[in-house]
Amino acid sequence: MWRRSTVPEGDGTIVAAEPKASAVPARAGRRTAAAPAAAAGTVLYLDGVTVSFDGFRALNNLSLVIAKGELRTIIGPNGAGKTTMMDVITGKTKPDRGHVIFDADTDLTRLDETRIANLGIGRKFQKPTVFEHLTVFENLELALKCDRGTFRTLFFTLDAARARRIDEIMGLIGLGDRRAFRAGQLSHGQKQWLEIGMLLMQEPQILLLDEPVAGMTDHETEQTADLILDINRDRSVVVVEHDMEFVRRLGAKVTVLHEGSVLAEGSLETVKNDHRVIEVYLGR
Amino acid sequence: MGPLTSRLLALESRRGWSVFCGLLLVAAVLVPVLHLATPPDSPLHVPAYMVSLLGKYLCFALLALSLDLVWGYAGALSLGHGAFFALGGYAMGMHLMRQIGERGVYGNAGLPDFMVFLNWKELPWYWWGFDGVLWTALMIVAVPAALAFVVGWFAFRSRITGVYFSIITQAMTFALMLAFFRNEMGFGGNNGLTDFKDILGYPLQSDATRVALYVASAVMLAAGYLVARFVVASKLGRVLMAIRDAESRVRFLGYDVTAAKLFVFTLSAVLAGIAGALYVPQVGIINPSEFSPAQSIEVAIWVAVGGRGTLFGAILGAFTVNGAKSVFTGLAPEVWLFFLGGLFILVTLFMPKGIVGLWGQLRAKIGEGVQNVAQKHRA
């Protein structure tokens, strides 16, 4: 909100209008169709999503396409709508307008968090939320992809193959020697990795990571980048991040969000030299 | 050995099982033997009043255990658990009323005394079937379960948590109390149900019946403990603990939080109902005061004092607080409530993990002290 006072009204409307103009031609054909459907090879398609909180538009006619197997980084100033976008995809927030199409034909805006998670969309929150009173192993076991029914869970027994899978992931996230530690005893960076490990246990098609390296040391940040690149070999990953060094290291396509819609899209170099992006970042 | 048997055996460590069996032997065998087989003047003799007192405590312990399951593990503090206890008790009470038959003051085999007194001509439909043991047993379980399921379904589906859930359950038991106070409800109003004669054909006043009820309570508590232990040791138990710590995160993992909470709340209500049903024949009366909000709050205090989220702590807390209550109300009844309030404040401030956690706290303190002394010696 405070940005509004520093940017003159006129400028604000121009910035908001321009990305819309650039986005329309690319998707014009699909927009005219009665029921939205994503092209083949698309894992996630946001179509004209608008979310308002008390008159403030957190997302403003946002459209975005993520291809299967793609790694995408999303940047943008505070309040650009990055977290709200994650909330809409995972069903935490229902949009006022627009659709979120997963895997060609599933409209996520009609489903709740549980259903969406079971479809194969994993989300890591900004603040690491692991279950502090459970051990590293138990945290991963809870995330394990299997029948989530209440009675099935009551009579669940862990077979050898699944136990091995947990051990495998524990090794991948570098917590192999922390098996019986309570998650609450882990360092901040380790909690972030544990949460990424939990997402992997769900075997999702797409992973949404909200600021995965916030509060990490440089060394931990490097390791996290390698981990994400490793994960991206099997599935799509969307990373929201502030840390430009980290974004550079991932070397993926970048989307810049501003005031709830797409401001620019392309490689990090292209985006960096875009005059509107410079204006938004330096103008604040 | 099937997978379920091996899981049951794995519920406790070897030491845990020995403690469990030891306590069960003392409660279900030693106490009755010392009561029945020793002469009254022997120092080992357990007097009759002690047996019925311990029987009452066992029922309270089962009630505390049931609350610990929802509060200690799923994080939902129900302040209306007394309602499920009372409903189970009323179901048992109705059966015992029908067993009185012609031996009532009015000698009417078809109607309980209080209905004759109110000039009712026939038995209300909801009293039908309570002559039978099976129907009664079914109702002891089904009525608390149904209430918990309906209240829980509305509350958990609307994502009511924390203090709001406590208030709703408190309102639930208060509303039931007001309803049961009314004579036209057909549950004996203010006086409740009393003057019971016998259970399953055995006179309630006889020593043998009292001991049998006591043993039944001990066995039910042990069974209830194992059921609760099975739930909390399962993966569902870990889901519940995860819900307690970060409910929305569990949803994003793909678990049905509403269903998990509803299951454990309903199971808990069933255990509370059974506790109430065993309590009523031992005290000989059930009246609406069992629904009073203060009763339910007291149950939460038992659990907090013993140590929540441990199951064993709930049982320990129920015995400790009720034992203190029996002593205090004998010595100085007027200070009991001050003692109870003070106890709750002290436990919250200094023993957040209750009596069960005290051992760990002490050990940490002693360890610190030893280290300090060692450091001083070195310096």
Side-chain angles (χ1 to χ4, degrees):
Chain A
M1 299 299 274
W2 51 269
R3 251 183 296 112
R4 302 221 152 161
S5 55
T6 57
V7 177
E9 281 300 344
D11 279 2
T13 48
I14 289 166
V15 169
E18 267 179 329
K20 255 184 275 171
S22 68
V24 167
R27 277 180 278 280
R30 245 174 266 130
R31 283 217 175 169
T32 48
T42 303
V43 68
L44 198 63
Y45 168 39
L46 275 75
D47 179 40
V49 174
T50 299
V51 175
S52 305
F53 298 120
D54 300 323
F56 169 68
R57 286 206 165 172
L59 291 183
N60 190 3
N61 201 17
L62 173 71
S63 295
L64 194 71
V65 178
I66 309 287
K68 278 206 171 98
E70 189 183 346
L71 171 61
R72 176 77 62 94
T73 38
I74 294 182
I75 61 172
N78 280 328
K82 303 180 303 266
T83 300
T84 309
M85 182 196 76
M86 296 266 198
D87 287 346
V88 169
I89 297 171
T90 53
K92 195 178 179 194
T93 302
K94 296 281 165 224
D96 304 329
R97 273 208 312 277
H99 300 278
V100 180
I101 310 300
F102 172 67
D103 205 15
D105 56 358
T106 312
D107 190 346
L108 299 181
T109 57
R110 294 189 194 145
L111 307 176
D112 64 5
E113 295 104 309
T114 306
R115 291 280 302 281
I116 293 174
N118 284 328
L119 277 176
I121 297 181
R123 174 179 186 182
K124 202 199 81 61
F125 289 82
Q126 211 164 332
K127 206 177 128 227
T129 35
V130 293
F131 304 116
E132 309 239 326
H133 287 92
L134 301 179
T135 65
V136 169
F137 186 87
E138 288 169 339
N139 267 280
L140 292 172
E141 188 206 20
L142 277 197
L144 179 79
K145 187 186 170 89
C146 62
D147 196 321
R148 300 274 206 249
T150 302
F151 288 96
R152 289 295 182 87
T153 312
L154 179 63
F155 293 106
F156 173 86
T157 41
L158 190 69
D159 55 38
R162 281 163 160 173
R164 266 201 306 281
R165 172 98 184 118
I166 295 177
D167 284 327
E168 213 175 278
I169 298 286
M170 224 167 358
L172 181 70
I173 58 174
L175 295 177
D177 55 344
R178 294 282 187 276
R179 184 192 175 94
F181 276 55
R182 283 186 187 229
Q185 294 173 291
L186 299 178
S187 75
H188 177 78
Q190 288 171 328
K191 281 184 194 169
Q192 300 271 31
W193 292 335
L194 175 56
E195 203 179 357
I196 292 173
M198 288 166 72
L199 289 182
L200 292 176
M201 293 305 307
Q202 290 177 260
E203 293 172 28
Q205 290 192 46
I206 181 164
L207 230 74
L208 310 173
L209 306 176
D210 201 347
E211 302 198 13
V213 297
M216 279 193 183
T217 63
D218 288 349
H219 182 61
E220 284 174 334
T221 303
E222 271 174 42
Q223 285 180 310
T224 308
D226 292 342
L227 177 62
I228 289 173
L229 290 170
D230 206 20
I231 291 167
N232 180 232
R233 282 188 295 193
D234 305 321
R235 47 198 116 235
S236 318
V237 182
V238 176
V239 182
V240 164
E241 195 44 76
H242 277 303
D243 186 332
M244 283 304 160
E245 178 52 32
F246 178 67
V247 171
R248 195 192 57 74
R249 206 180 164 87
L250 290 179
K253 187 174 173 185
V254 175
T255 298
V256 186
L257 286 194
H258 178 58
E259 297 194 336
S261 35
V262 176
L263 182 63
E265 220 165 67
S267 73
L268 183 61
E269 285 311 308
T270 328
V271 164
K272 256 183 168 171
N273 297 324
D274 190 304
H275 71 277
R276 288 166 311 182
V277 175
I278 296 169
E279 196 179 325
V280 163
Y281 268 91
L282 299 181
R284 50 184 194 138
Chain B
M1 202 166 62
L4 214 60
T5 328
S6 58
R7 264 186 71 186
L8 275 173
L9 283 175
L11 282 184
E12 300 281 348
S13 61
R14 191 171 284 247
R15 219 180 83 196
W17 276 117
S18 354
V19 171
F20 174 81
C21 293
L23 286 176
L24 184 61
L25 271 179
V26 169
V29 179
L30 190 63
V31 169
V33 166
L34 286 183
H35 170 61
L36 294 173
T38 56
D41 51 355
S42 154
L44 288 175
H45 181 71
V46 177
Y49 82 88
M50 188 54 97
V51 172
S52 43
L53 195 64
L54 288 175
K56 245 171 68 177
Y57 291 178
L58 288 168
C59 298
F60 288 152
L62 184 54
L63 174 59
L65 181 85
S66 76
L67 180 65
D68 195 23
L69 202 53
V70 272
W71 183 29
Y73 290 89
L77 171 55
S78 162
L79 287 181
H81 249 53
F84 305 126
F85 182 81
L87 285 172
Y90 265 98
M92 177 60 99
M94 287 159 83
H95 173 66
L96 297 179
M97 285 305 267
R98 300 301 297 135
Q99 295 303 298
I100 295 172
E102 288 179 351
R103 289 167 293 174
V105 179
Y106 299 105
N108 187 334
L111 281 184
D113 274 352
F114 73 90
M115 290 188 192
V116 180
F117 183 75
L118 289 172
N119 251 329
W120 289 20
K121 295 297 168 225
E122 57 184 44
L123 202 64
W125 60 268
Y126 46 83
W127 275 74
W128 297 349
F130 278 96
D131 301 53
V133 176
L134 279 181
W135 178 255
T136 307
L138 180 68
M139 286 299 114
I140 286 167
V141 171
V143 173
L147 178 67
F149 189 86
V150 172
V151 171
W153 193 75
F154 281 110
F156 299 141
R157 203 182 58 117
S158 320
R159 302 195 180 172
I160 290 168
T161 55
V163 70
Y164 300 100
F165 178 71
S166 304
I167 291 170
I168 281 182
T169 47
Q170 181 99 106
M172 170 192 82
T173 195
F174 189 65
L176 281 167
M177 180 180 75
L178 295 182
F180 274 72
F181 261 128
R182 302 177 70 89
N183 277 327
E184 60 270 33
M185 279 287 286
F187 295 108
N190 205 359
N191 299 319
L193 311 174
T194 187
D195 287 336
F196 310 133
K197 304 290 184 220
D198 46 31
I199 182 166
L200 303 170
Y202 299 101
L204 276 169
Q205 303 306 325
S206 91
D207 222 24
T209 315
R210 282 175 178 279
V211 170
L213 281 169
Y214 165 86
V215 172
S217 308
V219 170
M220 268 324 293
L221 176 61
Y225 173 80
L226 288 182
V227 168
R229 191 95 193 99
F230 183 81
V231 172
V232 302
S234 73
K235 191 176 171 197
L236 184 66
R238 294 190 282 283
V239 170
L240 292 173
M241 284 182 256
I243 290 172
R244 182 188 66 192
D245 291 347
E247 181 167 327
S248 66
R249 185 72 184 82
V250 181
R251 278 206 181 85
F252 286 112
L253 272 184
Y255 288 97
D256 189 341
V257 169
T258 306
K261 282 174 133 180
L262 202 51
F263 167 76
V264 78
F265 190 52
T266 307
L267 175 66
S268 165
V270 167
L271 292 178
I274 294 173
L278 285 164
Y279 174 79
V280 167
Q282 297 188 68
V283 296
I285 183 167
I286 174 81
N287 63 34
S289 70
E290 292 298 334
F291 283 108
S292 87
Q295 296 279 10
S296 295
I297 292 171
E298 226 183 290
V299 183
I301 297 180
W302 304 342
V303 177
V305 166
R308 73 188 180 112
T310 59
L311 295 183
F312 180 68
I315 298 172
L316 194 64
F319 271 89
T320 311
V321 178
N322 283 297
K325 186 179 189 173
S326 299
V327 172
F328 266 83
T329 45
L331 292 176
E334 62 280 2
V335 299
W336 163 247
L337 280 177
F338 292 101
F339 176 78
L340 187 67
L343 185 70
F344 191 54
I345 293 170
L346 284 178
V347 164
T348 323
L349 283 179
F350 301 111
M351 294 158 54
K353 288 177 182 166
I355 300 172
V356 167
L358 198 61
W359 172 239
Q361 267 178 301
L362 277 179
R363 235 180 12 187
K365 270 270 180 328
I366 292 167
E368 240 171 68
V370 169
Q371 268 186 351
N372 283 345
V373 170
Q375 267 171 1
K376 266 182 200 154
H377 269 284
R378 248 176 274 144

PDB file of all heavy atoms in Angstrom, chain A residues 39 98 103 141 157 171 211 216 267:
ATOM      1  N   ALA A  39      -3.123 -26.105 -22.973  1.00  0.00           N
ATOM      2  CA  ALA A  39      -2.538 -26.894 -24.058  1.00  0.00           C
ATOM      3  C   ALA A  39      -1.804 -28.094 -23.479  1.00  0.00           C
ATOM      4  O   ALA A  39      -1.449 -28.106 -22.313  1.00  0.00           O
ATOM      5  CB  ALA A  39      -1.583 -26.034 -24.864  1.00  0.00           C
ATOM      6  N   GLY A  98     -11.563 -15.819 -12.498  1.00  0.00           N
ATOM      7  CA  GLY A  98     -10.464 -16.537 -13.134  1.00  0.00           C
ATOM      8  C   GLY A  98     -10.425 -18.014 -12.795  1.00  0.00           C
ATOM      9  O   GLY A  98     -11.184 -18.491 -11.933  1.00  0.00           O
ATOM     10  N   ASP A 103      -2.873 -29.649 -15.075  1.00  0.00           N
ATOM     11  CA  ASP A 103      -2.784 -30.856 -15.878  1.00  0.00           C
ATOM     12  C   ASP A 103      -3.897 -30.918 -16.934  1.00  0.00           C
ATOM     13  O   ASP A 103      -4.639 -31.885 -17.004  1.00  0.00           O
ATOM     14  CB  ASP A 103      -2.872 -32.081 -14.949  1.00  0.00           C
ATOM     15  CG  ASP A 103      -2.200 -33.286 -15.575  1.00  0.00           C
ATOM     16  OD1 ASP A 103      -1.453 -33.086 -16.542  1.00  0.00           O
ATOM     17  OD2 ASP A 103      -2.430 -34.396 -15.077  1.00  0.00           O
ATOM     18  N   GLU A 141       7.504 -39.628   7.007  1.00  0.00           N
ATOM     19  CA  GLU A 141       6.522 -40.716   6.923  1.00  0.00           C
ATOM     20  C   GLU A 141       5.105 -40.155   6.730  1.00  0.00           C
ATOM     21  O   GLU A 141       4.304 -40.689   5.974  1.00  0.00           O
ATOM     22  CB  GLU A 141       6.575 -41.577   8.191  1.00  0.00           C
ATOM     23  CG  GLU A 141       5.726 -42.827   8.113  1.00  0.00           C
ATOM     24  CD  GLU A 141       5.285 -43.316   9.469  1.00  0.00           C
ATOM     25  OE1 GLU A 141       5.299 -42.511  10.430  1.00  0.00           O
ATOM     26  OE2 GLU A 141       4.926 -44.482   9.584  1.00  0.00           O
ATOM     27  N   THR A 157       0.800 -49.752   8.196  1.00  0.00           N
ATOM     28  CA  THR A 157       2.112 -50.269   8.603  1.00  0.00           C
ATOM     29  C   THR A 157       3.114 -49.963   7.494  1.00  0.00           C
ATOM     30  O   THR A 157       2.796 -50.082   6.310  1.00  0.00           O
ATOM     31  CB  THR A 157       2.108 -51.785   8.851  1.00  0.00           C
ATOM     32  OG1 THR A 157       1.322 -52.394   7.830  1.00  0.00           O
ATOM     33  CG2 THR A 157       1.558 -52.138  10.206  1.00  0.00           C
ATOM     34  N   GLY A 171      18.581 -38.998   2.825  1.00  0.00           N
ATOM     35  CA  GLY A 171      19.940 -38.812   2.329  1.00  0.00           C
ATOM     36  C   GLY A 171      20.025 -37.639   1.361  1.00  0.00           C
ATOM     37  O   GLY A 171      20.913 -36.797   1.460  1.00  0.00           O
ATOM     38  N   GLU A 211      10.093 -18.808  -1.089  1.00  0.00           N
ATOM     39  CA  GLU A 211      11.337 -18.334  -0.477  1.00  0.00           C
ATOM     40  C   GLU A 211      12.104 -19.451   0.234  1.00  0.00           C
ATOM     41  O   GLU A 211      12.298 -19.420   1.449  1.00  0.00           O
ATOM     42  CB  GLU A 211      11.042 -17.193   0.506  1.00  0.00           C
ATOM     43  CG  GLU A 211      10.352 -16.043  -0.188  1.00  0.00           C
ATOM     44  CD  GLU A 211      10.433 -14.748   0.593  1.00  0.00           C
ATOM     45  OE1 GLU A 211      11.219 -14.678   1.551  1.00  0.00           O
ATOM     46  OE2 GLU A 211       9.713 -13.813   0.236  1.00  0.00           O
ATOM     47  N   MET A 216      18.956 -18.439   5.100  1.00  0.00           N
ATOM     48  CA  MET A 216      20.002 -19.454   5.011  1.00  0.00           C
ATOM     49  C   MET A 216      21.366 -18.807   4.857  1.00  0.00           C
ATOM     50  O   MET A 216      21.490 -17.692   4.344  1.00  0.00           O
ATOM     51  CB  MET A 216      19.757 -20.349   3.795  1.00  0.00           C
ATOM     52  CG  MET A 216      18.732 -21.431   4.019  1.00  0.00           C
ATOM     53  SD  MET A 216      18.799 -22.611   2.684  1.00  0.00           S
ATOM     54  CE  MET A 216      17.466 -23.692   3.145  1.00  0.00           C
ATOM     55  N   SER A 267      14.512 -14.545 -19.614  1.00  0.00           N
ATOM     56  CA  SER A 267      15.697 -14.929 -18.850  1.00  0.00           C
ATOM     57  C   SER A 267      16.020 -13.821 -17.857  1.00  0.00           C
ATOM     58  O   SER A 267      15.516 -12.691 -17.982  1.00  0.00           O
ATOM     59  CB  SER A 267      16.876 -15.136 -19.787  1.00  0.00           C
ATOM     60  OG  SER A 267      17.327 -13.871 -20.241  1.00  0.00           O
TER      61      SER A 267
END
